[in-house]
Structure formats: structure tokens, C-alpha cells
Amino acid sequence: MDIILQQLVNGLSLGSVYGLIAIGYTMVYGIIGMINFAHGDVYMVSAYVTAIAIALLSFFGIESFPVVILGTLIFTIFVTGVYGWVIERVAYRPLRGSSRLSILISAIGMSLILQNYVQISQGAKQQGVPTLLSGAIRFDVGDGFVQLTYMKLFILCASFIGMGVLTYIIQKTKLGRMCRATQQDPKMASILGIDTDKIISTVFVIGATMAALAGVLVTLDYGGFDFYVGFIIGIKAFTAAVLGGIGSLPGAMLGGIILGLSEALFAGLISSDYKDVFSFSLLVIILIFRPSGLLGKPEVEKV
């Protein structure tokens, strides 16, 4: 029982991170109908930016965890948001009226550019950051115990706060209404005076900021990363988005949690060596039997 509970705790933490990254996929798809295949590499960039931010703060003698985490979040979100904006302007906007295949190739090209750019500028070796928050809470369960580290608790709190803030923005603010209007009918939104180009750029930036938040949290928890780290976690986050319903914001969150819990239980009870195989197999099964996802709606071709 304690093993199952421990894996549920681990899966909830992992799933919240998948949900944050999946939000970027689902928001971009919802507004332009295309997958941003460079999104995983935006997450990868945020991991390197996190390390740079921590190094800069350490250089100036700042070691207080609240100050370090706040400064790192602000710096990483800003820099990664700029990357998201540039990706939209360079890889998507010039091809917006082109075929889907052209945009897909452009997105994959941008992904390769980011990977090689980071590999050349930062090196191919695995990088790391020091542990900033140690300690854990232990709960006795029968003859064993369940452990919740302070870092995982922080990840859960930060993830759900981030998701809550984004949900409020999309549902309750003027920006959110413009995003939803652009998603439903870009031409009509433009006729009504909404700058759809600006809204689409904003959506890319929002998706990048969610990836940045996930990048900071995962980097602080695991400590290590490399230039290829965005590929695997990007595919898993895409799986979460498809599972929940691509284009659905609540679906991305739900899909991330379900995937994280499923993967953690599979790794803990069956084999951790094949957890990636399990995740990708789940993606294939979803695409075959329910391509619209749990909360998604079947796509209707716009006239």
C-alpha cells in the first residue's frame, strides 16, 4: 500500500508538470489549429535559463530560497516568453496562409535550430544546478511510510497556482475573451476589431511562460538537464494534451495529471525501464480510439 501511495504522490507531482507544458500545446492548437513542435525545446531552453539565473543570483551573494526562486521565475519566464514570441514571428506568422505541411516543417526546423543552438552555445554535456530546497514530510503507512519532499510540495503548489491564474485570465479577463473569440472565429474576431495577430503572439508567449514555470520546477527538483531534454518531456506533454482533449485547457490539466499518475504507477509496480514505452503506447491508443480526447470535441472543418 505504501508503494502505491508513494507512486501516487510522485505521479501527481509529475502530472502537474506535464499539465503545465501541455497547456502550451493545447492553447496554440486551439487558436491556429496546429501543433507547436518546438514547444518541448522551449521547455529545454527554460532549464538552461534557470541555471543561468541561479548562477547570477549566487554570483551577487543572494542565497535566500524565496528570493532565489522568485528572481529565477521572473527572469526565466521573461526570457522564455521572448523565445515563444520569436518562434511565432519567425516560424509561424510568415506561413500562416500556407499549407499545414509547410507550417509543420517550419516548426520541426525551429525545434532543431533550438536544440543545436543550445548544444553549440552551452555544450553537449549534461548540466546541473544545486539543491535549493531539501527535507521532506513523512507519513507512516502500515509497516512503511510515504514521503513528500518539500520540493515536490512546492511543485504541486506552484503548478496549481499557475494553472489557476491562467484559467482566471482566460475565463474572466478581456484578454481571455479576445483569445476565445479568436479561437472560435478568427475572421469575425478581426472584423470586430480584435488584433488577431497580436492575440496569436500572446498565446505563444503564454504557452512559453507555462513551459518556463515547468522548466524551473523540474530543474530545481531533478537538478540535471541537457540540450535533448525537451524532446521526451515534450512528447509526453503532447500525449497529455491529446489525452485530455487537444484545444481544451481543462483537458490539458486533466491529461497531465492522468498521464503522470499512470506513468508513476507503471514505473513503481511494473518496470521503470519501460515507462517511456508505456507513455508513447498510451498516445497511440488514444489517437486510435479517441482522437478528440476526454474533454475535447470532434473537430469540425471550418468553412
Side-chain angles (χ1 to χ4, degrees), residues 6-198:
Q6 184 64 65
Q7 293 306 318
L8 288 175
V9 170
N10 296 338
L12 193 60
S13 171
L14 182 63
S16 63
V17 171
Y18 287 158
L20 286 175
I21 305 174
I23 286 173
Y25 284 109
T26 204
M27 288 191 69
V28 169
Y29 181 87
I31 206 163
I32 66 172
M34 290 296 298
I35 301 297
N36 179 14
F37 281 103
H39 189 60
D41 297 289
V42 173
Y43 160 84
M44 176 268 295
V45 168
S46 73
Y48 281 89
V49 176
T50 297
I52 293 172
I54 293 174
L56 288 173
L57 292 171
S58 177
F59 176 78
F60 288 107
I62 301 174
E63 298 180 354
S64 171
F65 179 77
V67 178
V68 171
I69 193 64
L70 182 61
T72 301
L73 280 171
I74 293 173
F75 181 74
T76 305
I77 286 174
F78 174 78
V79 174
T80 311
V82 172
Y83 271 91
W85 181 81
V86 170
I87 287 173
E88 192 277 330
R89 293 299 297 264
V90 173
Y92 281 87
R93 184 173 295 188
L95 299 174
R96 194 170 297 161
S98 304
S99 66
R100 286 176 175 251
L101 180 60
S102 299
I103 301 176
L104 174 64
I105 293 173
S106 179
I108 295 175
M110 180 58 69
S111 172
L112 295 174
I113 289 172
L114 288 176
Q115 286 184 21
N116 286 274
Y117 160 68
V118 172
Q119 181 184 11
I120 293 172
S121 62
Q122 302 296 325
K125 293 182 179 180
Q126 188 169 21
Q127 309 288 335
V129 297
T131 301
L132 299 181
L133 184 62
S134 57
I137 304 172
R138 289 192 175 188
F139 304 94
D140 293 328
V141 179
D143 296 331
F145 64 88
V146 175
Q147 178 173 282
L148 176 62
T149 64
Y150 293 143
M151 192 65 234
K152 280 187 168 49
L153 181 60
F154 178 74
I155 288 175
L156 288 171
C157 293
S159 298
F160 285 110
I161 289 173
M163 292 177 183
V165 170
L166 179 60
T167 300
Y168 175 81
I169 291 174
I170 296 299
Q171 297 295 331
K172 302 295 184 180
T173 66
K174 181 180 179 181
L175 173 61
R177 288 192 294 271
M178 289 191 293
C179 288
R180 285 183 281 126
T182 304
Q183 176 182 355
Q184 292 174 8
D185 194 330
K187 291 182 179 179
M188 182 58 69
S190 180
I191 292 173
L192 294 175
I194 297 175
D195 188 344
T196 55
D197 286 338
K198 183 178 180 180

Side-chain angles (χ1 to χ4, degrees), residues 229-269:
V229 71
F231 175 76
I232 296 296
I233 199 168
I235 295 295
K236 290 183 179 180
F238 174 67
T239 302
V242 174
L243 173 60
I246 193 76
S248 168
L249 192 60
M253 301 175 188
L254 177 63
I257 297 298
I258 293 176
L259 179 62
L261 291 173
S262 302
E263 184 178 314
L265 288 172
F266 183 89
L269 301 178

